Amino acid sequence: MIPPALARLSRVWFPTKKRPASGVENGHAKLIRAGFLRPSHSGIFHMLPLGRRVQTKLEELVARHMEHMLAASRVSLSAVSSQSLWDKSGRLENTASELFKFSDRKNVGYLLAPTHEEEITALVAQTAKTAKDLPLRLFQITPKYRDEFRPRHGLLRGREFVMKDLYTFDSSKESALETYDSVRLVYSQIFEEMKLPVLAAKASSGNMGGNLSHEYHLPTPLGEDHVISCDSCNYVANEEVAESVLSDQVVSDTTFRVWRGITKDRTKLVNVWYPKQTQPLDGGALREYTDLDISIAEVKSLIPDLDAGVEDALPLWSTAAAAGGTAVELVNIVDCRLPLSFSESLVGTKPTIPSWPKNLTPRNQVPVSVSVQNTNQWNKDRPLNLIRIQTGDKCPSCASGHLKAEKAMELGHTFYLGTRYSEALGATILVPNDERKAVPMQMGCYGIGISRIIGAVAELLMDEKGLNWPVAIAPYSCVIVMGAGVDEQDAVEVYRQINQIGRVQAKYLDVVLDDRQKTLPWKLMDADLAGFPIIVTLGREWLAAKRLEVQCRRLGVKQAVEITELPQIIGKLHGDL
């Protein structure tokens, strides 16, 4: 048997850059400086060799769980999808602004797929005809495309991104929900294997369809979502669907504020009235609220076409109101903490609360519809709470728990779709014992953002010196660095000693020798920047006493060891990382 070739960094291209003069870098900047990737166009990146190694290891880890734990078969669907399919599912119009659309020379409409529900459903509809053909589990790991209005944060919000998609097809709702629970368990195992503190949160299904979904979030200040979790029970939910127990009341009816929003067609001004201060029912300190505390998700539940990205709504609405020709509306939404008398003061011929904004055309000169929404009109079985959930609020799921609200980044999402796509695209099976009756297949779709995980890990684990990778996806888990005067054969022997550990003791062992013609300090700085989890150095200690220095920045380990101790120490570090 021919032994594997010695892995040498002199054979790998990863062009590193100098530290910027400002010294302030985020994870994405470190990925670029460490030579993992380079920007190509806005929101589009080239993966360089080290970045590609991380991506490959991550893809292999996820694929192994899909194949071994879920018995899923791997496919690779074309990046080009048909606009007509998306039209059948009803998503073409709803997501038009985010799609890269084009036509061929025959003027047939296509698009670059941001996801593949339509294509996979049409594919399975051609082949699966009876319950005997199900269940079916199909997954792929492929590039996706989305025309982001404002690409940002590097790999976290790009126009081209790599995702793992799993699509499941079952013959009954019961079996589909069993599949859903199985996939959720496997997702937990995937993130646990990378030792990432991911929260599985109940979520909204949005445009995907279905009525059951969970998001998998990594808590980080850079996150665009807010996740609510309980310190006592297992309650975890995205802010959009989270609930809390109302535990405060207004101090005075006269201390209120108003936040203004507008709909996407600019014809409806939304006044959100909320208390300036509240007093917790348990007698705690006063709470002060500002516009930043408004629950946009709650407002959207009443005004679905609210344009949440507008910071100053008044000029846009006043232009529409003054122009005439289009009916305009003013909607007052009142937080449940404010009394009913407050709502009444907003309407009528002589309102006592000035809901009509100042500096606009006088109200009696503009034909406008004015309405009020409060808890009395609220069609849900809970108060109309327009304030975001705060850390310390009581948990709705247990008697003793308190909630924690934190920013988080979505890394994955699971959806039970039901018949949302199978019914629209004709994916049906014949009912057992009644082959004349066809019913839609029960579907689920399950995504993990491969490139997004790379960007998220870079942000989460980086420090001042550089990146830090979990051993499961590190480009190399251990680098051997030798200084001047060290015989290369000694370094090769150390390399062999480490590789004798074996995959049982160190599952993700992947050793490389840094044999580049650079100084020892330069190579050590480069190893820190690249985020190799374990660094083994042959320097002065080796020349003087044949002792090696083992470093693990993430665990705070730095010690001199004998070569005979190396396998045990490297194996333990691997287990902890």
Side-chain angles (χ1 to χ4, degrees):
M1 181 177 178
I2 300 175
L6 198 72
R8 298 175 179 268
L9 283 184
S10 61
R11 298 173 181 171
V12 180
W13 180 58
F14 61 108
T16 56
K17 294 182 176 182
K18 292 182 179 180
R19 181 186 294 270
S22 66
V24 179
E25 288 181 302
N26 57 20
H28 177 62
K30 280 186 165 62
L31 284 170
I32 292 174
R33 188 160 70 86
F36 282 69
L37 54 83
R38 287 290 188 271
S40 169
H41 307 286
S42 176
I44 300 174
F45 301 92
H46 297 310
M47 274 293 182
L48 305 189
L50 287 190
R52 182 60 192 157
R53 286 185 71 88
V54 173
Q55 182 174 315
T56 298
K57 289 186 175 184
L58 182 51
E59 289 177 3
E60 290 174 349
L61 185 156
V62 172
R64 174 164 45 83
H65 280 81
M66 294 296 104
E67 293 170 342
H68 295 175
M69 306 302 294
L70 295 170
S73 298
R74 188 166 184 173
V75 298
S76 182
L77 303 186
S78 171
V80 177
S81 186
S82 162
Q83 290 187 29
S84 62
L85 269 181
W86 282 63
D87 192 37
K88 287 180 182 179
S89 72
R91 288 208 297 173
L92 184 64
E93 183 177 353
N94 292 338
T95 58
S97 63
E98 297 182 352
L99 298 176
F100 283 108
K101 294 187 288 186
F102 62 96
S103 300
D104 65 7
R105 66 185 67 192
K106 298 179 181 178
N107 206 32
V108 176
Y110 295 96
L111 56 87
L112 294 179
T115 181
H116 279 89
E117 282 73 23
E118 285 80 3
E119 289 289 348
I120 197 73
T121 306
L123 175 64
V124 171
Q126 298 171 17
T127 54
K129 299 299 181 182
T130 71
K132 294 180 180 179
D133 298 320
L134 303 180
L136 190 58
R137 317 275 181 259
L138 302 173
F139 82 99
Q140 63 174 349
I141 303 176
T142 54
K144 306 290 191 298
Y145 302 89
R146 182 172 53 226
D147 190 8
E148 284 284 351
F149 176 72
R150 187 168 64 90
R152 56 200 180 277
H153 304 316
L155 297 177
L156 301 180
R157 182 65 71 179
R159 288 175 166 168
E160 180 185 41
F161 50 97
V162 178
M163 278 197 68
K164 185 282 301 176
D165 301 312
L166 168 68
Y167 299 102
T168 63
F169 299 82
D170 286 275
S171 57
S172 69
K173 181 177 180 179
E174 292 73 22
S175 60
L177 291 175
E178 288 178 8
T179 298
Y180 187 88
D181 290 338
S182 298
V183 177
R184 284 197 63 200
L185 177 61
V186 171
Y187 267 41
S188 297
Q189 294 170 350
I190 289 172
F191 292 117
E192 286 172 5
E193 193 157 335
M194 290 184 279
K195 292 186 168 58
L196 296 178
V198 169
L199 297 172
K202 182 180 178 183
S204 167
S205 296
N207 290 330
M208 291 295 293
N211 55 10
L212 174 63
S213 74
H214 287 81
E215 293 169 346
Y216 299 80
H217 284 279
L218 188 66
T220 168
L222 274 179
E224 296 181 338
D225 293 296
H226 283 79
V227 172
I228 312 300
S229 58
C230 178
D231 61 8
S232 181
C233 68
N234 60 358
Y235 180 80
V236 185
N238 185 295
E239 183 184 42
E240 292 181 352
V241 299
E243 299 178 11
S244 67
V245 177
L246 203 64
S247 58
D248 58 348
Q249 61 187 359
V250 293
V251 178
S252 167
D253 294 354
T254 60
T255 56
F256 56 83
R257 287 188 165 123
V258 60
W259 173 86
R260 290 191 167 98
I262 194 169
T263 52
K264 294 176 181 177
D265 63 6
R266 308 307 188 226
T267 63
K268 187 180 294 183
L269 182 69
V270 182
N271 287 338
V272 176
W273 301 93
Y274 64 98
K276 180 180 179 181
Q277 283 185 331
T278 63
Q279 174 73 57
L281 296 177
D282 60 8
L286 289 178
R287 286 183 172 182
E288 184 90 15
Y289 296 121
T290 69
D291 289 355
L292 295 177
D293 296 308
I294 294 297
S295 172
I296 300 299
E298 199 80 319
V299 178
K300 277 191 169 184
S301 68
L302 284 170
I303 313 293
D305 57 339
L306 181 77
D307 190 344
V310 174
E311 294 183 1
D312 189 359
L314 280 179
L316 299 173
W317 189 74
S318 63
T319 300
T326 303
V328 292
E329 297 180 64
L330 192 154
V331 180
N332 295 289
I333 305 178
V334 183
D335 183 79
C336 63
R337 297 169 183 80
L338 295 174
L340 183 60
S341 58
F342 182 92
S343 298
E344 294 170 348
S345 69
L346 295 170
V347 294
T349 56
K350 294 182 179 180
T352 57
I353 301 295
S355 64
W356 187 262
K358 296 179 180 180
N359 303 322
L360 293 187
T361 305
R363 178 171 174 175
N364 59 6
Q365 296 180 22
V366 178
V368 59
S369 168
V370 180
S371 61
V372 174
Q373 290 278 355
N374 57 28
T375 295
N376 284 1
Q377 286 87 37
W378 189 229
N379 59 1
K380 296 187 178 180
D381 57 355
R382 58 187 174 86
L384 180 51
N385 182 4
L386 299 174
I387 301 297
R388 300 173 81 164
I389 293 174
Q390 312 283 314
T391 295
D393 283 354
K394 291 184 178 179
C395 177
S397 184
C398 69
S400 60
H402 291 82
L403 299 177
K404 179 181 180 181
E406 57 188 326
K407 281 190 171 184
M409 185 183 302
E410 183 185 343
L411 302 184
H413 207 143
T414 56
F415 298 90
Y416 163 62
L417 298 174
T419 61
R420 161 72 173 84
Y421 296 91
S422 56
E423 193 167 2
L425 298 170
T428 60
I429 55 171
L430 296 176
V431 176
N433 304 322
D434 187 357
E435 295 190 354
R436 293 170 299 176
K437 183 179 179 182
V439 296
M441 301 177 197
Q442 295 283 332
M443 290 180 58
C445 70
Y446 310 85
I448 288 181
I450 301 296
S451 48
R452 177 169 268 232
I453 288 177
I454 296 172
V457 169
E459 295 290 352
L460 179 72
L461 300 182
M462 72 164 192
D463 60 19
E464 184 181 341
K465 290 186 176 181
L467 302 166
N468 270 308
W469 298 103
V471 291
I473 60 173
Y476 296 97
S477 68
C478 178
V479 61
I480 300 168
V481 182
M482 57 183 181
V486 175
D487 190 334
E488 184 175 307
Q489 288 305 309
D490 289 347
V492 171
E493 180 58 30
V494 171
Y495 180 98
R496 289 172 178 161
Q497 286 285 335
I498 296 174
N499 269 310
Q500 287 178 3
I501 296 174
R503 299 286 174 171
V504 174
Q505 190 175 354
K507 184 176 181 180
Y508 293 107
L509 185 65
D510 189 4
V511 190
V512 67
L513 174 63
D514 190 349
D515 60 337
R516 294 174 294 173
Q517 299 303 305
K518 299 286 186 177
T519 65
L520 181 60
W522 188 95
K523 289 193 281 188
L524 289 173
M525 288 180 62
D526 224 36
D528 279 336
L529 175 61
F532 301 130
I534 302 168
I535 303 173
V536 177
T537 306
L538 289 80
R540 293 178 181 176
E541 281 281 337
W542 179 261
L543 293 174
K546 297 298 181 184
R547 287 166 63 84
L548 302 154
E549 185 176 85
V550 177
Q551 299 180 42
C552 177
R553 197 170 84 250
R554 192 172 163 201
L555 297 179
V557 172
K558 187 175 182 179
Q559 63 183 109
V561 302
E562 303 290 340
I563 192 170
T564 54
E565 301 173 292
L566 203 54
Q568 181 181 357
I569 291 170
I570 298 294
K572 184 178 186 308
L573 289 175
H574 256 261
D576 294 338
L577 290 167

